[in-house]
Amino acid sequence: MKSYKGRGIVLHTLKYGDSSMIVYLLTDVGGRQNFMVQGVRSSGGRGSKAALFQPMFAVEFEGLVSTKMQLHRFREVRSGLVLQSLPFDVRKSTIALFMAEVLYRLVKESEPNPNLFEFVWRSVEALDALGEGTANFHIWFLARLSRFLGFGPGNSYTSGDWFDIREGAFTPLKPEHTLFFPRSDASYFHEFLHRPIDELASIGMNRTERVEMLQCLLTYYGYHLDAIHAVQSVRILQEVF
């Protein structure tokens, strides 16, 4: 049995038997990996282990794997980030649930993707530390994530552009088909791609604009990755923001 060390972000958990669970992680060393965690809800002081595996929680671990095991196991696992606000702020925890489900549905590769992993890890840190601008964070995350999934915009934005979903590009001419961002949403898309995280509050969107922008991004994702349509937490997100 081989051991290895790594970092991970919790994407999803699934109850297994009476006291165990399967934990789906995005890891730095092996992309998406699935772990069996035994005794997670048992008595004897070990039940607190379940608290480590909330959506988007970061962990550091020593894993075990062998050719005879379909699932990895933990030799040791602990919190990877000391989260100050995310577990206690309903708005941030709602965003974390959405982020985790998006990644769970869309990221399937069991190969290291250092750039994607570091983006996700830093996003958890940023969300936890964020003061103002929380309501815009999920838009920022989806906009930036598109680049790491391989279909970010392929050109630069010019004021007054539309955004062609089929071409994945900004354009000065309104597309003749219906798959495009209106000018206002194309402008917001550009802002979210380039505005620093500590300036999210300065992107002045009202609730209606935020819902419209989210729908534009989900349409863009859906054109490239059909699995986005299975994300159920969108409804909860729209109710909160």
Side-chain angles (χ1 to χ4, degrees), residues 10-25 33-42 46-55 59 71-74 77:
V10 178
L11 305 183
H12 184 64
T13 61
L14 184 66
K15 181 180 177 182
Y16 187 85
D18 293 331
S19 62
S20 301
M21 67 166 57
I22 299 172
V23 177
Y24 300 84
L25 293 184
Q33 300 290 344
N34 307 333
F35 291 79
M36 172 67 73
V37 184
Q38 295 177 308
V40 73
R41 292 185 301 275
S42 65
R46 293 188 294 173
S48 61
K49 190 186 298 184
L52 287 172
F53 303 120
Q54 303 303 309
V59 296
L71 298 172
H72 297 232
R73 297 177 186 268
F74 294 117
V77 59

Side-chain angles (χ1 to χ4, degrees), residues 51-221:
L52 287 172
F53 303 120
Q54 303 303 309
M56 296 306 289
F57 275 29
V59 296
E60 295 177 347
F61 64 89
E62 183 176 358
L64 296 170
V65 64
S66 76
T67 55
K68 298 179 180 180
M69 292 167 26
Q70 292 184 332
L71 298 172
H72 297 232
R73 297 177 186 268
F74 294 117
R75 172 175 283 173
E76 181 183 355
V77 59
R78 60 185 179 274
S79 177
L81 294 171
V82 180
L83 299 174
Q84 302 293 337
S85 65
L86 194 156
F88 315 108
D89 184 323
V90 67
R91 301 199 308 161
K92 291 185 177 183
S93 59
T94 299
I95 291 173
L97 179 65
F98 172 73
M99 293 165 64
E101 189 180 1
V102 166
L103 292 167
Y104 173 70
R105 299 290 183 187
L106 301 186
V107 179
K108 304 292 187 180
E109 295 79 11
S110 56
E111 298 293 333
N113 186 333
N115 292 332
L116 172 63
F117 180 82
E118 290 302 327
F119 166 70
V120 174
W121 185 277
R122 291 196 305 270
S123 294
V124 175
E125 289 183 299
L127 178 59
D128 185 63
L130 195 62
E132 298 180 347
T134 299
N136 289 333
F137 190 88
H138 59 292
I139 305 292
W140 175 88
F141 179 77
L142 276 185
R144 296 294 182 100
L145 180 63
S146 67
R147 289 172 164 171
F148 295 95
L149 297 182
F151 57 91
N155 65 343
S156 300
Y157 171 80
T158 300
S159 181
D161 277 355
W162 310 74
F163 182 73
D164 189 321
I165 289 174
R166 288 183 179 177
E167 299 299 325
F170 295 103
T171 173
L173 301 176
K174 182 179 179 180
E176 296 182 359
H177 54 79
T178 60
L179 291 175
F180 62 86
F181 290 18
R183 285 171 169 163
S184 58
D185 293 302
S187 176
Y188 281 135
F189 192 20
H190 167 71
E191 285 201 70
F192 281 110
L193 286 168
H194 297 282
R195 189 73 67 92
I197 191 70
D198 58 359
E199 295 182 11
L200 281 184
S202 65
I203 303 178
M205 305 177 77
N206 60 38
R207 182 170 185 152
T208 300
E209 291 171 328
R210 199 172 290 116
V211 169
E212 181 179 325
M213 185 65 210
L214 175 61
Q215 191 55 55
C216 283
L217 284 169
L218 291 175
T219 301
Y220 182 40
Y221 269 71

